[in-house]
Amino acid sequence: MSLILSKHAKETPDQVALIVDGEKITYENLEKSSNQLSNYLFLKGTRKGDRVGISLERSKDLIVAMLAIVNIGAIYVPIDTANPKERIEFIIEDSKISVLITTSAIISNMPVVNIGAILLDNESTQIVAANRINHQKEVEPTDVAYMMYTSGSTGTPKGVMVPHQGIIRLVCDTNYISINKQDTIPLVSTISFDASTLEIWGALLNGATLVIPKFRKASPTSICNILKENNISIMFLTTGLFNLMVEERLEYMNGLKYLITGGDVMSTSSATKAKKNLKNTRIINGYGPTENTVFTTFFEIPSNWNLNRNIPIGNAITNTNVYIMDEQLKRVKDGEIGELVAGGLGVARGYWNRKELTDEKFIEHNGERLYKTGDLVRQADDGNIEFLGRVDHQVKIRGFRIELGELETTISQFGSIKACTVMVNEVTPGDKRLVAFVVPKDRMTLELRYLKAFLEQKLPNYMLPSNYVIKDELPLTNNGKVDRNALSSGKMFTRPDLGISYQEPRKREEVSLTSIWEKILLVDKIGVNDDFFDLGGNSILVARAIIQMQESLQTKLPASVLYEYPTIAKICTFLNQDSIKAESLDLAAEVQLDQKIAPLQHFNPSSFKQKAIFLTGATGFLGAFLIQELLFTNPETRIYCLVRDSSSQKGLQRIQKNMEKYSIWKKEFLYNIIPITGDLNKPKLGLSSYAFSQLSETIDVIYHNGAKVNYVQSYELHKNTNVTGTKTILDFACANKLKPVHYLSTISVFGPIGFFTNINKITEDSNLNFSETYLYKDIGYAQSKWVAEKIMWEADKRGVPVTVFRPGFIMGHSRSGVNNTEDYVARLIKGCIQLGTYGDLPNQRKEFVPVDYVAKAICEISRNPSNFGEAYHLVPSYNQSLDIVDFFEEINKNMGYNINKTPYKEWVDQLVESTLNQSDNALTPFLPLLTEPLYKDKTAWELYENMPKYDSSNTQVALAESGLKCPEMNHSLLHIYFDYMIKIGFIPASPKLKLSVKV
């Protein structure tokens, strides 16, 4: 392919190759740019046969990168930035790419993977300096040009290795299309969709012009804009988009020479309507799997097609052989149904690293290499091939191929699902949907919104089911297999229970829009607060809905209206300019870190030191013990403590008083502690620019322990300290010299995940994304810590050395019993003693950990740079962890109290009554937390029932040499804690308790 492009650059150097945002790039300049990058790649070690990842926005750089890679005989692996991080991470790891071509902005949002990267924005000077001469490497036609990942039947995507000859056979000297240098072709498809091969290489290998629009999602509006702004002659559209354009924007396509569609079964009515009106346009129905390089067959729509007959897939394109075979690979008779098997130059080399699957699907037969498509077809009397369906239920929706087995496997991984099957339902002509039939383990507890959130973390958008049908059981055939023919979703879908109460449309606009949505989504009884996408909306239906809503409302709507305002109520609010926009919390959107916050240099572990430490939260409970432990470890250390006060002297007094409160103050600390009067809530920590800069030069390492903790207040009231303050700390870490950051998080960042998912174990490396959905049913503090930790990991990706500590609930000192009597557990103990009862909350563990263990573990782990970049759970071992019920039973048994277990609702009623009668119950400040239902009738505390195990493998490994272990919460430790609380008069002594210390 490089030779063909070089030929165009020499023969027609001034011919426009690309148009991007109005900029025109000639073939000569394109070749020069690609040669520079290919030479730079070669200098960086890329060789023929290496796999090189490309993750770039739609731009000139994207095309240059593709050309540069094929120039040296390497293989490009397209990675769509719109895919979930989990899928991106899988593709990067599975493909074993040697290097990733991307930008600093894109890579900052990608998973942390151990690969090299070429950041085009940061390395542009070196790339431009590379030789512009094309040092063409010897590339054979059978060599692999690119590797594209498609859906996998076992739940694992597979990389298809496509050769150069397959691409050339697709677009050069072929029988279904003729492309020349006068043509202009737009890049409508995403780079992870194989139709982009036709668009990109169809233009460039024929000396034509490729237009690269900037939109992220193709829609009728964006397609119309392309057609209006450019002299487009050839265009590819997925079948769904083709149908929509024909029905609603047909006139815009009048100037096309070729209109090609594919990816699904073509609508007969749309095809004939298009042919009737687009008299000078050749309309092609293309068919083919990725494994045979985009197209295998084609059918050109004639002007007199019979409306009662389906559109066939036609006959083979040039240099392609097609056979219809039975299971024994014998050709069937004309008119009989069989599997389409393809041969010729388009057949891929196979699946990357999947030998068994390759051997199964790519076969040698009668001296020819063939690919078994798995598609059921037959040959009609006129010689055209008709597509009938899939052998293995592999389907195409909106141009994307999906193997239903992968989707079913992923749904089954959700803990609440007993069984499932996924089908494609053509609910109306041309409207195909993925419908998931699910059998829950408990119909009463299944929450579809959490299943949807789970799938959104696992799958690309195009693989998500549009609709869910809840079944008590799946029908079976006599052979014990699911009887798909017996499954039906009906003509209308029942409004799903997604946790949103139904609100009837009342206003004229609401009634009108609801009617439109119900017809488009085929969902019965839509409420004004129902989410369009939760009801089965997708990008095609969005486009259809916007068009019809504009007609109904007689007003223009922005293309993004349904994405920004996905309910009818929000749309109506948006339309009413006098209304106040309703804001909802989006935790993921809160995870933002200014691109300027990034290291100026790489971290060098060999030069790591801790002579000057910056500590936040120094006046808190853990902060006091961190100071003690840090100075015990290294008495020469200077600790710069951020403290809110009017002067350094008063700040030091606060720190001293706090440590005295816990009986750990020493005069010697006066030399080591340097108070910095400032505020986490303020820019630059409340310091002047000069002071901020000078301090950043002095500090070696940061311990970010400061946080606002309030179990009643909202996220917004925590945000300034816990989120914005964390960003400021990271800015401080990157200012001047790079400083490691040790961040105190919490196990609460996983929220009530055990309640909703039945997940029984969370590792230190567990993806925080999985818990986001469940944190919306949690307190503002937990939400803010989740956002802050996510920002920390973002900084880690950018090169900031980060360590994250997630302690359980921090209790008192394991030897002195000193604890924080203002915290929740201390007040819980006192309040329950006052009431004489405690609430029955099964399997709810607070993961009690002594403060001295937490401080020692943090100091031990953080002093070794090899431990950086990890998260550490500071929790007791699972077999030593007590839940709330066991905790109070131990108190009754060993401490001599008589606190009765009571159903939670009754216990709360007692607390409410107690509060009304007397206001001194220790738990009264927490009543909003304990009574406010966050999910159905359950409060935030109840949602922490059935907590998972918090694995602490990283912690155990890091502490192995020190021998440090978390003390068990047994009767001895309880005695120590209770003795202290009794000693200071916080709780009364029980009649049976014998104090082990003097009162």
Side-chain angles (χ1 to χ4, degrees), residues 254-431:
N254 259 319
L256 292 174
K257 183 171 73 172
Y258 286 97
L259 176 55
I260 308 166
T261 184
D264 214 329
V265 178
M266 198 178 203
S267 164
T268 301
S269 60
S270 295
T272 52
K273 180 179 180 180
K275 188 59 184 176
K276 180 180 179 180
N277 290 275
L278 305 177
K279 299 184 184 300
N280 298 318
T281 301
R282 298 178 65 178
I283 302 173
I284 307 295
N285 180 33
Y287 157 84
T290 303
E291 289 86 344
N292 199 40
T293 318
V294 188
F295 286 159
T296 299
T297 66
F298 78 101
F299 179 77
E300 183 173 347
I301 310 299
S303 57
N304 57 346
W305 187 252
N306 182 356
L307 279 171
N308 295 319
R309 184 181 172 188
N310 291 333
I311 304 293
I313 59 175
N315 288 282
I317 71 171
T318 303
N319 291 317
T320 300
N321 301 318
V322 294
Y323 310 96
I324 304 175
M325 295 182 166
D326 61 18
E327 293 180 356
Q328 287 72 43
L329 296 180
K330 293 180 180 180
R331 297 182 68 170
V332 302
K333 296 179 181 180
D334 289 351
E336 290 185 353
I337 297 173
E339 180 181 1
L340 191 147
V341 180
L345 299 182
V347 177
R349 288 278 295 273
Y351 299 117
W352 165 252
N353 228 9
R354 303 284 293 279
K355 185 179 185 305
E356 289 186 7
L357 188 59
T358 297
D359 292 344
E360 175 189 338
K361 302 289 285 184
F362 295 87
I363 62 172
E364 295 291 332
H365 184 70
N366 294 333
E368 184 179 11
R369 192 163 188 273
L370 305 173
Y371 171 68
K372 298 171 65 178
T373 66
D375 288 331
L376 295 175
V377 299
R378 67 183 170 199
Q379 189 171 38
D381 293 340
D382 61 3
N384 285 304
I385 297 171
E386 296 178 338
F387 175 84
L388 302 176
R390 287 291 306 165
V391 174
D392 57 358
H393 304 298
Q394 189 182 69
V395 299
K396 277 194 175 181
I397 298 289
R398 298 186 298 279
F400 290 98
R401 191 174 70 181
I402 301 164
E403 288 186 11
L404 299 180
E406 178 188 3
L407 183 50
E408 291 168 351
T409 298
T410 306
I411 292 174
S412 297
Q413 292 171 356
F414 187 67
S416 300
I417 301 301
K418 181 180 180 182
C420 76
T421 234
V422 180
M423 294 176 60
V424 175
N425 281 15
E426 189 168 9
V427 291
T428 59
D431 182 10

Side-chain angles (χ1 to χ4, degrees), residues 105-162:
I106 292 173
I107 201 169
S108 67
N109 291 312
M110 295 180 75
V112 178
V113 288
N114 187 26
I115 57 166
I118 292 178
L119 305 181
L120 296 182
D121 50 340
N122 291 351
E123 300 174 54
S124 58
T125 303
Q126 300 95 307
I127 294 170
V128 170
N131 198 328
R132 293 188 177 190
I133 299 174
N134 184 358
H135 297 295
Q136 175 66 41
K137 306 302 179 290
E138 188 174 329
V139 179
E140 299 296 330
T142 55
D143 288 339
V144 177
Y146 68 80
M147 188 161 77
M148 189 169 289
Y149 276 78
T150 65
S151 175
S153 59
T154 60
T156 305
K158 51 189 184 290
V160 181
M161 300 181 288
V162 177

Side-chain angles (χ1 to χ4, degrees), residues 488-553:
S488 174
S489 59
K491 294 183 179 180
M492 292 288 287
F493 293 95
T494 302
R495 178 179 177 272
D497 180 10
L498 295 171
I500 304 296
S501 59
Y502 175 75
Q503 185 171 333
E504 182 181 2
R506 298 184 183 278
K507 299 177 182 178
R508 182 184 61 82
E509 288 179 343
E510 293 175 347
V511 172
S512 174
L513 295 182
T514 298
S515 176
I516 292 171
W517 281 28
E518 288 177 350
K519 290 176 182 177
I520 290 176
L521 297 169
L522 296 179
V523 174
D524 187 35
K525 201 177 180 181
I526 293 176
V528 298
N529 291 322
D530 294 342
D531 189 289
F532 183 86
F533 300 98
D534 287 343
L535 298 174
N538 55 50
S539 57
I540 296 293
L541 297 182
V542 163
R544 188 174 295 167
I546 290 176
I547 291 170
Q548 293 189 25
M549 288 191 299
Q550 288 181 150
E551 291 177 355
S552 173
L553 298 169

